[in-house]
Amino acid sequence: MIRSVTGILAGAVCMMLAGCGAQGEAYQPMAGPASRSVIYIYRPYKVLSLEATPMITCGHESIELEPGGYYDFVEDSGPVTCAPATDAATELKFDARAGEQYFIKEDVDPAGLGSHVRFRLMDAAVAGDEIRECSRQGIKQ
């Protein structure tokens, strides 16, 4: 009896963990052209932010990232702005340079009836470790 209960609990935990993050290809660095910059935007998995998938715009790309997801794109040199569709006051602005890679971390926290989105430009070494846990998303609008 105890073995069957333990087996059922173990199976339930495995099923819950399988649905924890975004589904997609594992992280692979993109080789971008030397005349443009490569931007990675990623959202690490957090239990408390599971319900919200806000639309965000970064440069000329718009996407809804699931927890545990990332998206990569190529952008021209110059100013880049990342902002959620619901709150332009939390935007991130930076200057992209040709041949450079940029990692932007999206944090989504529950706030009342909605959610609050923050963006941080991350150091490549730190972001490289975090983004490896994410899967590529393709929910582009």
Side-chain angles (χ1 to χ4, degrees):
M1 172 75 173
I2 292 176
R3 284 185 182 217
S4 63
V5 171
T6 304
I8 291 171
L9 288 175
V13 168
C14 288
M15 288 180 66
M16 286 177 22
L17 290 175
C20 283
Q23 302 298 312
E25 297 174 15
Y27 168 72
Q28 290 291 323
M30 173 192 277
S35 62
R36 301 177 79 191
S37 59
V38 175
I39 299 174
Y40 298 92
I41 186 161
Y42 68 100
R43 180 180 172 187
Y45 176 81
K46 284 190 337 187
V47 174
L48 295 177
S49 68
L50 289 178
E51 295 298 317
T53 53
M55 177 64 71
I56 56 172
T57 300
C58 193
H60 294 91
E61 299 286 331
S62 294
I63 190 164
E64 294 174 327
L65 282 179
E66 295 177 24
Y70 83 93
Y71 185 72
D72 53 2
F73 60 98
V74 177
E75 188 74 22
D76 289 330
S77 296
V80 174
T81 302
C82 299
T86 57
D87 186 9
T90 61
E91 67 185 15
L92 168 73
K93 292 182 180 182
F94 65 97
D95 285 320
R97 287 179 250 151
E100 299 287 322
Q101 292 186 348
Y102 298 92
F103 292 86
I104 300 164
K105 182 177 184 177
E106 176 191 15
D107 286 314
V108 179
D109 297 316
L113 296 175
S115 60
H116 177 71
V117 178
R118 289 185 321 257
F119 296 106
R120 288 188 283 166
L121 193 56
M122 301 295 290
D123 177 77
V126 173
D129 288 339
E130 292 180 335
I131 201 169
R132 279 179 181 49
E133 302 295 320
C134 297
S135 298
R136 189 168 196 291
Q137 298 289 275
I139 311 169
K140 184 176 152 183
Q141 301 293 325

